[in-house]
Amino acid sequence: MSETDLKLIIDDELDEENNELIENEVLEIKSKVDKKNIKKELSIKDLPGVGAATAEKLESAGYRDIMSVAVSTIGELVESTGASEAVARKMINAARDSMKMGFETGMEVLKKREIVNRISTGSDNFDTLMEGGFETGAITECFGEFGSGKTQIGHILAVNALKENPNAVAVYIDTENTFRPERITQLAEGVGLNPQDVLSRIMVARAFNSDHQMLLAEKVESLINEQGKDVRLVVIDSLTSHFRAEFVGRGTLAERQQKLNRHMHTLAKIACMHNICVYVTNQVMAKPDQFFGDPTTSIGGHIVAHASTFRIYLRKGKKGSRVAKLIDAPNLADGEACFEVLTEGLKDFS
Ligand code: GTP
Ligand code: MG
């Protein structure tokens, strides 16, 4: 071995030792920073105007951490704690200050987007349209006529959301009695998962009316906070059927939209705070005054349309295929994907 070879080997070893030292140092610094952060984290009781009694009221209304107060509205706080508007405003402002909820740089936003996951639909075409699948931290809405595949997508998402992580849980809020465990079994087998394990990690609730549906959505928080469930997906199938049935006639439109707005607000909050994928289905109705183009429109109007981060229009295609058309997305190009519903899952239509 020449002298230079020997020197190289020694250099390599020294480098390795150095790397290890540096790594240890980094770990130490990280743990110190973590400890500091934990100490700095405030609890609800640290907010101005919150004594033991108010804290208790807040907690029983589902406000468990500063973030939940920071993202609530004055009206919500007044309603759930009986505090005056001024006190509620003070609490929210203090919570927002402590969460540093002001402006942030684009780089910081980009960093936050790193935690976004995507849940596969099983169809490559459809996944490509969504740049990998349905995003966590956002609401995705599929609307389309009967039999267009909205419920099937809800079922396959529930299965695929559980694939990567053995502790993950999916929540299914069923308003039309169309959740079928037998179908979950087929789809789980289709992706090579144990059907019983999958079924045991899907929490299903039947919503009997719009108030019940709204309550169930609010209860998702307690599944996470009280029962420690790692909820990855919330399906609401269908978002609008109860609202549509209960509020009939023009005179009730304002009230319906107000309630829907509150419901969407709850959903957006859980999606954002817990990095959950929220999937909602929506029906279409005929637009009697439209003569050109597609004569259908989705229920819920602008309220639902604006609150959904991604909107997909589903329609039946040729030879039993289904076509998904991306109507609205913050960062994806509009486009279409053709797929079909098979016993084992969604597959590209060829
Ligand atoms: P509505 O809720 O009535 O508005 O319809 P939807 O959009 O929820 O339709 P859904 O998701 O229920 O789609 C129904 C279609 O999926 C059926 O017409 C079938 O083509 C297909 N489908 C449902 N279950 C199965 C199944 O077990 N095997 C196969 N191969 N196809 C299925
Ligand atoms: Mg359905």
Side-chain angles (χ1 to χ4, degrees):
M1 197 183 291
S2 73
E3 211 172 284
T4 44
D5 280 346
L6 200 61
K7 195 171 174 303
L8 277 177
I9 291 176
I10 292 173
D11 273 356
D12 268 356
E13 273 173 11
L14 275 177
D15 268 357
E16 238 164 63
E17 242 170 63
N18 261 345
N19 276 347
E20 217 167 278
L21 276 178
I22 291 169
E23 255 170 44
N24 283 341
E25 232 167 81
V26 168
L27 281 180
E28 221 170 90
I29 293 170
K30 261 193 187 160
S31 85
K32 271 186 198 158
V33 170
D34 281 349
K35 272 184 204 149
K36 243 192 190 164
N37 279 347
I38 288 168
K39 255 192 226 151
K40 248 176 44 193
E41 220 169 81
L42 297 172
S43 85
I44 284 189
K45 291 201 184 85
D46 299 321
L47 293 174
V50 179
T54 314
E56 206 170 284
K57 271 187 209 154
L58 280 171
E59 270 186 31
S60 66
Y63 296 94
R64 263 151 223 291
D65 49 19
I66 298 274
M67 179 58 138
S68 57
V69 176
V71 297
S72 80
T73 64
I74 293 175
E76 282 171 348
L77 271 194
V78 168
E79 200 177 305
S80 52
T81 63
S84 71
E85 258 183 45
V87 171
R89 180 174 298 120
K90 233 185 192 171
M91 280 195 260
I92 291 173
N93 285 344
R96 285 181 184 170
D97 282 347
S98 79
M99 299 293 305
K100 299 198 179 64
M101 288 175 76
F103 289 103
E104 50 191 355
T105 65
M107 277 313 284
E108 282 163 333
V109 178
L110 185 66
K111 186 122 197 69
K112 276 193 192 158
R113 295 263 311 153
E114 279 171 15
I115 61 164
V116 168
N117 274 318
R118 288 180 177 83
I119 303 176
S120 167
T121 61
S123 149
D124 289 337
N125 286 347
F126 204 164
D127 284 355
T128 308
L129 181 72
M130 303 299 292
E131 232 166 52
F134 284 30
E135 264 191 22
T136 61
I139 302 178
T140 303
E141 173 200 352
C142 277
F143 63 97
E145 60 165 330
F146 67 92
S148 56
K150 305 179 293 288
T151 299
Q152 294 303 310
I153 292 173
H155 280 63
I156 192 66
L157 287 176
V159 171
N160 282 340
L162 310 182
K163 217 164 58 180
E164 310 296 336
N165 175 350
N167 296 319
V169 167
V171 171
Y172 205 108
I173 299 177
D174 181 8
T175 73
E176 300 180 314
N177 196 19
T178 48
F179 176 81
R180 290 290 174 275
E182 300 86 343
R183 187 69 185 121
I184 294 288
T185 299
Q186 291 174 335
L187 296 171
E189 281 166 354
V191 292
L193 290 180
N194 175 347
Q196 268 143 13
D197 172 52
V198 168
L199 282 170
S200 68
R201 289 193 281 139
I202 302 180
M203 322 269 305
V204 188
R206 176 85 199 277
F208 291 100
N209 56 47
S210 63
D211 283 313
H212 189 202
Q213 180 180 331
M214 289 166 76
L215 182 76
L216 286 169
E218 282 159 25
K219 285 243 187 273
V220 172
E221 290 261 66
S222 60
L223 281 181
I224 300 165
N225 293 327
E226 282 161 33
Q227 300 185 33
K229 304 263 188 225
D230 184 6
V231 178
R232 301 283 80 224
L233 169 79
V234 173
V235 176
I236 306 204
D237 184 20
S238 111
L239 176 74
T240 46
S241 59
H242 284 317
F243 290 90
R244 191 182 188 190
E246 288 164 29
F247 298 90
V248 198
R250 286 238 161 243
T252 60
L253 195 64
E255 193 191 345
R256 181 187 88 179
Q257 290 305 84
Q258 232 169 45
K259 274 182 91 174
L260 254 176
N261 193 18
R262 235 176 61 211
H263 190 35
M264 295 308 286
H265 184 70
T266 307
L267 294 175
K269 221 156 78 172
I270 38 181
C272 169
M273 277 175 63
H274 303 286
N275 195 28
I276 290 174
C277 169
V278 175
Y279 169 64
V280 302
T281 70
N282 196 356
Q283 291 129 327
V284 286
M285 57 184 177
K287 251 195 274 177
D289 51 353
Q290 174 131 2
F291 299 105
F292 303 102
D294 198 333
T296 54
T297 177
S298 61
I299 315 283
H302 295 301
I303 297 278
V304 173
H306 285 163
S308 305
T309 323
F310 299 93
R311 306 192 73 216
I312 297 161
Y313 176 44
L314 290 175
R315 67 170 195 272
K316 294 177 190 167
K318 281 180 195 142
K319 296 186 185 148
S321 68
R322 298 289 184 275
V323 182
K325 181 175 184 178
L326 196 57
I327 302 282
D328 191 9
N331 59 326
L332 306 179
D334 286 357
E336 287 192 345
C338 205
F339 66 93
E340 60 185 328
V341 183
L342 300 177
T343 307
E344 65 271 21
L346 303 193
K347 293 283 164 291
D348 288 350
F349 183 75
S350 44

